[in-house]
Structure formats: structure tokens, C-alpha cells
Amino acid sequence: MSLEKIIKLKNTLLFRLTVLYAGIFTLSSVLIFFAIYFKIHSVAIKDMDEEFLDEISQYSENMSRGGLEVIVTKIEEMAELEDPNEEFYRIITFEGEVLFSTNMSEWGSPDFYDIPEAIRQGETHHVFNTLKIQGRDHKARLVSAVIGPGTVLQIGEALEETEEYLDIFLSWFLILIIIVMVFSAFLGWFMARRALQDMEEVTKTATEISNGAYDKRVHLRDQYEEIQRLGGTFNIMLDRIQNLLQSMREVNDNIAHDLRSPLARIRGIAEINLMNRKTIDDYKNMAASIVEECDSLIDIINTMMDITEIESGINKPELEEIDITRLIHDAVEIFKPLADEKRLRLNVHMEDKLIFYGDRKKLQRMVSNLLDNAIKYTPEGGSVSVTALTENAMLRIVFEDTGIGISDTDIPRIFERFYRCDKSRSQGGIGLGLSLAKAFAEAMHGTIRVKSILNRGSAFTVSFPEHQSPGTVS
Ligand code: ADP
């Protein structure tokens, strides 16, 4: 493996998690080992000390009953059975006179085993020590205890057996720790790999998308919730991006097809005026026509932007409490002169007060567009009506007219951008009103449905769930 690869591996989450697992396992094992090690050691020493105390109490008793000779005999009898390497006994006075001693040739200088100061001072009856003996590999445990006036018995016992036992324990542990390290590293690698597999799936999908496969989605398996959430959010984000791209593509197509004709008209006006000699009034008319065409172009661009922004979620509806009855009345007031001009009956059927949480401006534009269409596509003498009511927890606003109607073949297409039915081409319009109304309605969780009979009339019904929470629609 090259150095570069090793450096890269070092920075991966997989490597770090593996090391972390192995580290935690090893550290815990070492801690457990030391806890056990010291416990065994201290239990062994405690047992030894208890045995010492038992012995000492027996010797003290013998001393008080039969004097020094009795103890010496007993110790000698016992010392014969013991290895002098393993144990020694010594009886010594406070002045340092050795009254009795077993063979101490293997125990270094006898001066080394002086009577502890605490005993001399009479502060305690016995003292335990663990000592390192010169020339020997293992330590020894020593007890010095008063067994008679001014007389101290010292018993020394090698800790060889205990230490050897602990050495075996240590070497077993070292073997065990290597196994634990390898096992925990493997386990860590396995667990981290499992956890990261789904993350890799997200990365793989992201890579595919960056190469242009926008329809790819993260395959969500039934595994860790966090990863599932990440994948789910990622997929939602991708849906949004795809919608955005789709809308942008549509906007591009629309610009190509539908902005071309107004631009061609502007160019035509200018060209005609350039070709012939014209009066100043002709130029003024030309300028007025160009301003009109430009206004219509700006209107088209703005409306397209509004639709794209609302559909892609960039522009979110801002909800507030709205009296729908009032909002519709205001719109009807504005359109009344237009209806009067065409001698249309304009009827309104509404409850006194209809409260709804919605985006005021968007609702106003939606109502205006639908009302405008109803009036525009209804021939003189006809009638237009607006009904608003609540029904099954839904707010419904119905725009009905007795107009030219829409054919069954056109109905599925009228909400497309720039789509205009042939029959209506004589009327002014750009074919964006219904697309905008639909985008606004859907942004507020609403729908628009249409029923129409050719030459009889149409009914557009906008429905919203009545209870929207105040605030911004997510
Ligand atoms: P426009 O600017 O052409 O009115 P819209 O998007 O508002 O654009 O409407 C799309 C098309 O749907 C219209 O051109 C028209 O053919 C048809 N349409 C809409 N509303 C009505 C209606 N009330 N009656 C008949 N046709 C309608």
C-alpha cells in the first residue's frame, strides 16, 4: 500500500472508528486486569498477615506460659520442616540482642531486619512490611511483633509463590490482550463498516447525481434510523432539485417559444418604421406600441418567475387570518365595471364571514385570475357567479360562468404554462393565469378542479383544507 493510501486511510471514519473500538476494548481490558491483579495480590498478603497473627498469638501465649525455651523448641521443630529459603524466625530484644534465629544465610544481612520504631515506642504491638531482599528476585513479607516484655518475634516469608502466580497471570494476560486487540479491531472494523455502508450508498448516489443522473435516489434499507433519516432527507432534497431543474427547463422552453413572438412583434414594429419615412406622430405611436409590448413581456417574465418560485418552494406562502368573504367582495367590486361593460350578471353567494388562514396576496391574485377568465370567456348577456362555502372541513370557492366552455381535449392542458384553447385566442391573455392560480393553490395545500361543457359554460372549484395552522406553509 502506498504512503498516500495509508495517509488517506488514516483520515477515514472507518479507520478511526476501528482504532477507537480497539483502543476502548484494550484500555478496558488493561484496567480490568490491573484491578484483578491488585485484588489477588492484596488478598494473598492479607491471608499471609492473618496467618502471621495467628502464629504470633500462639507464640505470645506460649511465651507467657512456658518462657522462651518453649517457643524456641516449637520454632525449631517447625523450621526443620520448612525450607530456610522460604521462611525465617528470629527473636530479638529491644536492645538488639538476638535471642534466637533460624538459618538466615539466604536472607541478607540480619541488620536489615531491625525492630520498627513504632514498636520500640510502644505505639503498636506488631508491624508488617514487604521488603526487597538483596540478591533475591522476589520480595518477602515480614512481621515484627512483641511476644513478651522487650522481646520481639520476627517472621519473614518469601513472596515467591504469590509473585510467580501473579507472573503467570501477567503472561496469560499479555497473550489475552493481543487476542483482544486483534478481535476488537476486527469487531470495530466490522461494526463501523456496517454503519458506514449506508453512508457510502448516499455518497455513491451523490456521485452518480454529480455525473448527471438526476433521477437517482438513495436506496433506503431498514437499518440505522440516523442513516435512514439522512437518506430520506437527501432524497427529499433531490426531489426538490429535480423539480427546480424541471421548472427551469420548462421556463427555458417557454422563453424559447413564447417570448419569441412578442419580441418578433417589437422587431416588426421597429423595422416597418425604419423602412419608410414617417411623421413624428408615427414614431410616437411606434414607441407606444413598443412600450405596450414590453409591458406585456415584463408581465410574462414576472408571472413565470412567480410560478417557478412558488413551485420550487423558494417563495413560501405566508399565512395569516383572512376574511375570505371580504376578499372576494373586494375582487368582485374591481371586476364589476368589466362585467357591466359586457352586460354580464355577476352573482355572489357567500356566508357572512369565512375565516381562513392563507397568503392574502396569493389568494387575491388567484381569485382575480379565475374571475377575470370567467368574465373574459363569457359572451355578452351571460352570467358569472362566485360561491364560497365550507363543506366537510374544506373551504370551497366556485367560479361559474355561462361562457364558451372548454372541450374535453383541452381540459387536461389548460393548467399548462402558455396553453390557450383555440377558441379563446381572440381574447387577450398569455396563458399563464391558470398555471399561476394552480401553483398558488397547491402551495397552500389546495386544489383546483374544472368542469366544463363546450358552449355552455365552466366551473372552476378551488378547495383548501379549512384548518391550516397560522405561519408559513412548510
Ligand atoms: P389566459 O391568459 O389565456 O386566460 P389562462 O391560463 O388563464 O390563460 O387560461 C388558459 C386557457 O384556458 C385560456 O386560454 C382559455 O382557453 C381556457 N380558459 C380558462 N378559463 C376559462 C373559462 N372560464 N372559460 C373558458 N375557457 C377558459
Side-chain angles (χ1 to χ4, degrees):
M1 200 186 282
S2 69
L3 186 71
E4 202 185 331
K5 267 191 179 169
I6 293 173
I7 293 171
K8 259 193 194 164
L9 183 74
K10 232 179 77 194
N11 291 332
T12 60
L13 198 57
L14 181 64
F15 177 79
R16 291 187 180 197
L17 283 176
T18 307
V19 171
L20 193 75
Y21 262 102
I24 290 173
F25 259 81
T26 311
L27 191 74
S28 322
S29 312
V30 170
L31 288 177
I32 291 170
F33 165 76
F34 277 113
I36 296 172
Y37 185 91
F38 286 114
K39 189 70 196 166
I40 293 174
H41 189 266
S42 78
V43 166
I45 296 289
K46 205 171 147 230
D47 281 355
M48 197 178 259
D49 290 352
E50 273 169 12
E51 276 177 29
F52 279 157
L53 286 178
D54 275 355
E55 258 187 278
I56 281 162
S57 78
Q58 279 175 25
Y59 288 128
S60 303
E61 227 178 276
N62 290 336
M63 177 83 169
S64 57
R65 280 209 211 118
L68 192 65
E69 289 79 33
V70 182
I71 317 175
V72 169
T73 327
K74 279 200 181 286
I75 292 174
E76 273 176 341
E77 277 171 13
M78 220 165 55
E80 264 177 37
L81 305 170
E82 292 287 342
D83 179 352
N85 261 343
E86 291 284 315
E87 211 168 26
F88 79 82
Y89 288 81
R90 188 166 86 137
I91 300 170
I92 186 170
T93 64
F94 275 16
E95 289 74 37
E97 188 194 342
V98 177
L99 302 178
F100 168 77
S101 173
T102 55
N103 179 2
M104 283 183 75
S105 56
E106 298 294 332
W107 290 86
S109 159
D111 297 341
F112 184 62
Y113 308 98
D114 203 7
I115 297 172
E117 216 30 57
I119 291 184
R120 282 183 195 284
Q121 300 297 329
E123 287 165 15
T124 177
H125 192 252
H126 58 262
V127 170
F128 295 103
N129 293 109
T130 300
L131 304 169
K132 172 90 191 86
I133 299 135
Q134 229 183 0
R136 288 178 66 160
D137 290 342
H138 297 282
K139 289 183 184 154
R141 188 75 175 159
L142 175 78
V143 62
S144 305
V146 180
I147 53 165
T151 316
V152 170
L153 170 65
Q154 290 186 311
I155 311 172
E157 196 174 322
L159 288 173
E160 205 165 336
E161 211 175 295
T162 313
E163 285 186 355
E164 267 173 6
Y165 173 64
L166 286 172
D167 282 350
I168 294 171
F169 182 59
L170 181 69
S171 38
W172 268 105
F173 172 74
L174 285 176
I175 296 169
L176 210 73
I177 200 86
I178 293 169
I179 297 172
V180 165
M181 270 171 77
V182 173
F183 175 73
S184 56
F186 178 73
L187 190 77
W189 177 83
F190 178 74
M191 303 261 295
R193 176 128 200 96
R194 254 174 74 107
L196 294 176
Q197 226 163 25
D198 286 1
M199 289 256 285
E200 262 172 27
E201 170 85 26
V202 178
T203 315
K204 208 178 100 201
T205 313
T207 316
E208 283 173 348
I209 289 162
S210 67
N211 290 333
Y214 297 106
D215 55 335
K216 285 270 175 226
R217 292 293 177 271
V218 178
H219 176 61
L220 295 174
R221 272 182 291 172
D222 212 15
Q223 272 201 359
Y224 306 104
E225 213 198 303
E226 293 88 342
I227 311 274
Q228 264 199 26
R229 252 184 299 160
L230 173 74
T233 316
F234 192 73
N235 284 348
I236 292 172
M237 186 187 78
L238 289 175
D239 288 345
R240 276 249 162 113
I241 291 175
Q242 208 181 12
N243 277 347
L244 207 68
L245 281 172
Q246 180 64 27
S247 330
M248 276 168 66
R249 246 180 241 141
E250 277 172 22
V251 168
N252 274 354
D253 290 353
N254 295 154
I255 287 173
H257 291 110
D258 296 274
L259 296 191
R260 215 175 259 163
S261 32
L263 282 171
R265 276 200 301 274
I266 293 173
R267 195 178 181 282
I269 297 167
E271 210 170 32
I272 290 166
N273 279 275
L274 276 175
M275 280 192 319
N276 310 309
R277 273 180 163 261
K278 296 277 169 185
T279 63
I280 194 81
D281 280 344
D282 290 333
Y283 286 120
K284 275 186 183 167
N285 285 340
M286 176 191 77
S289 305
I290 289 176
V291 167
E292 209 177 297
E293 289 292 346
C294 284
D295 281 349
S296 129
L297 262 178
I298 291 167
D299 190 33
I300 292 174
I301 291 167
N302 285 343
T303 312
M304 276 195 326
M305 293 300 287
D306 287 342
I307 297 172
T308 309
E309 279 180 7
I310 199 86
E311 278 181 352
S312 62
I314 297 170
N315 177 358
K316 286 193 168 36
E318 278 166 28
L319 305 188
E320 60 180 299
E321 198 180 272
I322 297 166
D323 180 353
I324 288 289
T325 309
R326 212 188 152 73
L327 188 141
I328 293 173
H329 266 303
D330 290 348
V332 167
E333 280 305 302
I334 294 169
F335 281 92
K336 191 145 185 4
L338 209 64
D340 289 347
E341 212 174 279
K342 286 181 84 177
R343 286 185 293 112
L344 300 178
R345 281 184 308 279
L346 191 50
N347 305 314
V348 181
H349 311 282
M350 280 185 296
E351 290 169 24
D352 285 348
K353 206 173 171 109
L354 274 171
I355 297 299
F356 174 69
Y357 281 100
D359 185 311
R360 184 181 298 279
K361 282 194 183 143
K362 292 184 175 57
L363 281 167
Q364 278 168 341
R365 282 181 78 182
M366 195 191 73
V367 169
S368 298
N369 283 354
L370 293 167
L371 200 51
D372 184 37
N373 279 353
I375 294 170
K376 196 161 66 176
Y377 299 115
T378 303
E380 286 199 6
S383 71
V384 168
S385 74
V386 185
T387 310
L389 55 109
T390 51
E391 189 180 71
N392 303 331
M394 298 292 280
L395 166 71
R396 295 196 205 286
I397 312 172
V398 189
F399 300 83
E400 263 176 299
D401 62 61
T402 56
I404 58 172
I406 306 162
S407 71
D408 289 346
T409 44
D410 281 329
I411 280 185
R413 302 202 58 193
I414 53 169
F415 291 100
E416 285 174 21
R417 282 173 218 185
F418 295 105
Y419 187 80
R420 306 197 72 208
C421 312
D422 284 340
K423 268 192 91 185
S424 57
R425 297 238 172 232
S426 56
Q427 300 291 332
I430 52 174
L432 287 176
L434 285 182
S435 314
L436 186 79
K438 183 171 179 269
F440 282 177
E442 284 175 357
M444 285 180 267
H445 302 313
T447 53
I448 301 191
R449 305 249 177 281
V450 57
K451 277 188 185 158
S452 187
I453 300 171
L454 210 54
N455 300 322
R456 294 273 296 275
S458 314
F460 286 82
T461 307
V462 192
S463 309
F464 292 107
E466 202 185 354
H467 297 291
Q468 298 220 37
S469 59
T472 303
V473 173
S474 59

